[in-house]
Amino acid sequence: MLIDTHSHYDDAAFDEDLEQLIEELNKKNIIAVNVGATKGSALTALDFSGKYANIYAALGVHPDEVAELTDEDMQNFLKLSRNPKVVAIGEIGLDYHWDVNPRQIQKEWFVKQIKLAHEAELPICIHSRDAAQDTLDIVKAEDAGRFGGVVHCYSYGIELAKEYMKLGFHFGIGGVVTYKNAKTVKEVVDYLPIDRIVLETDCPYLAPAPHRGERNDSRNLMYVAAEIGAIKGYSPEDVIKITAENARKVYARLS
Ligand code: NI
C-alpha cells in the first residue's frame, strides 16, 4: 500500500482520464488524499471520496483563495467533516510568495481554519511559503498540532524542522526531493527520523525527476520513495511501507 497524502485530482489537468487513472491507482494499491484548495475543490474532494474507495478528502482553503470564505462556510465544513472519509482540514496556511490576499486576511483565515480543525478533532495540513516565522507563531499560539498535522511540501531548513518535530508534526515530502538543486530538502530528509515523513505528490504539480515538468500523479511517488531511501539507507519498498504507516498515524481516518 502506498499513500499519497496530498493530491489535487479535482484539477482540470485530470478531466480527460480521471476515472481511468483512479482505477489504475486502485489496482496498484495506491490511496490518495484529495486536498481542498478552493471552497469548490474542497467539496469536489469530498464528492470524490464518496465515489472512489481509494480517495479520501481534506477540507480546507488555501491562503490564495481565502477571500471567498465566510463564517457560514466554516459551519458547513464542520458539518461535512463528520464524514468518515474526511481525514484532515487543509490545505491551510500562509503564502507570502504570491501574496494574493493581504497578510492580515491570510492569518485570520489560517486561525479560523485551525479552530475548525480543533472543533472537528482532525489534524491539519499546512501550506507555508516564504512565511516561516508567522506560520510558526500562529501554530504555537493556537496549539495547532493538537490533533496532529502535516507540513505539506516542507521547504524550510533543519532548524525549523526541529520546531515542528517538537510540536508533533509530520513532514510531506514530494517530487522536489528528486531535483538536483534541492539541497535543503535533501538535508532535511537526511535529518528527519523516517517515522516523521509522509509521501505526497501535490499533483498535478511537482512531478519528480525524471518526469519533472510533466503532469504528476501518485504513481510517480516510487521515484520519491527511491530518493528518500537512497538518502536514508532504506529500500524504496520499505520507504513506501513505513510512510504509509506514518500517514495512517497522522491521518487516523485513513484505512
Ligand atoms: Ni497542494
Side-chain angles (χ1 to χ4, degrees), residues 6 8 35 91 127 152 202:
H6 193 115
H8 299 281
V35 172
E91 59 188 294
H127 171 102
H152 140 67
D202 208 15

Side-chain angles (χ1 to χ4, degrees), residues 154 157-167 171 191:
Y154 187 79
I158 289 175
E159 286 313 306
L160 203 70
K162 287 180 185 169
E163 297 282 337
Y164 281 105
M165 289 236 315
K166 270 190 266 172
L167 296 165
F171 298 79
Y191 167 77

Side-chain angles (χ1 to χ4, degrees), residues 45-60:
L46 189 60
D47 185 44
F48 285 179
S49 76
K51 226 159 129 190
Y52 308 111
N54 57 329
I55 302 291
Y56 288 76
L59 290 182

Side-chain angles (χ1 to χ4, degrees), residues 36-41 60-70 73 91 93 95 98-101 105-106 109 113 127 205:
T38 65
K39 198 158 67 177
S41 73
V61 173
H62 184 287
D64 286 359
E65 309 287 343
V66 290
E68 64 173 352
L69 285 174
T70 65
D73 292 324
E91 59 188 294
D95 195 314
W98 298 110
D99 269 329
V100 171
N101 289 304
I105 304 282
Q106 295 190 38
W109 284 105
Q113 294 189 90
H127 171 102
Y205 309 107

Side-chain angles (χ1 to χ4, degrees), residues 222-237:
M222 53 181 275
Y223 299 106
V224 175
E227 181 64 24
I228 294 171
I231 293 170
K232 301 191 73 63
Y234 290 88
S235 69
E237 293 76 20

Side-chain angles (χ1 to χ4, degrees), residues 21-226:
L21 181 55
I22 303 234
E23 183 47 39
E24 185 67 24
L25 300 183
N26 206 10
K27 270 192 217 146
K28 291 186 175 328
N29 255 337
I30 298 174
I31 283 177
V33 178
N34 199 107
V35 172
T38 65
K39 198 158 67 177
S41 73
L43 299 177
T44 306
L46 189 60
D47 185 44
F48 285 179
S49 76
K51 226 159 129 190
Y52 308 111
N54 57 329
I55 302 291
Y56 288 76
L59 290 182
V61 173
H62 184 287
D64 286 359
E65 309 287 343
V66 290
E68 64 173 352
L69 285 174
T70 65
D71 290 330
E72 214 183 331
D73 292 324
M74 294 297 96
Q75 287 310 312
N76 191 32
F77 277 2
L78 180 61
K79 254 185 262 160
L80 296 174
S81 72
R82 298 196 184 111
N83 184 312
K85 288 200 83 178
V86 175
V87 299
I89 299 298
E91 59 188 294
I92 61 174
L94 304 173
D95 195 314
Y96 294 174
H97 181 76
W98 298 110
D99 269 329
V100 171
N101 289 304
R103 294 180 178 185
Q104 201 43 46
I105 304 282
Q106 295 190 38
K107 287 183 196 171
E108 191 184 307
W109 284 105
F110 186 26
V111 170
K112 282 186 177 178
Q113 294 189 90
I114 290 168
K115 290 188 192 302
L116 163 68
H118 290 170
E119 271 190 81
E121 302 188 1
L122 283 172
I124 58 173
C125 165
I126 297 180
H127 171 102
S128 177
R129 192 160 178 205
D130 296 347
Q133 193 58 50
D134 281 2
T135 307
L136 185 64
D137 287 349
I138 290 176
V139 163
K140 281 184 172 170
E142 298 298 325
D143 185 20
R146 199 182 306 162
F147 296 95
V150 173
V151 188
H152 140 67
C153 198
Y154 187 79
S155 57
Y156 300 127
I158 289 175
E159 286 313 306
L160 203 70
K162 287 180 185 169
E163 297 282 337
Y164 281 105
M165 289 236 315
K166 270 190 266 172
L167 296 165
F169 279 85
H170 285 71
F171 298 79
I173 302 295
V176 176
V177 74
T178 67
Y179 302 163
K180 279 210 173 69
N181 56 356
K183 194 166 155 270
T184 306
V185 179
K186 288 181 201 285
E187 281 171 5
V188 166
V189 165
D190 188 29
Y191 167 77
L192 288 174
I194 189 133
D195 65 358
R196 290 301 184 100
I197 296 175
V198 294
L199 300 180
E200 63 166 46
T201 52
D202 208 15
C203 66
Y205 309 107
L206 298 178
H211 295 291
R212 191 172 182 175
E214 297 170 18
R215 185 184 79 170
N216 196 10
D217 71 60
S218 309
R219 294 172 296 185
N220 284 333
L221 284 176
M222 53 181 275
Y223 299 106
V224 175

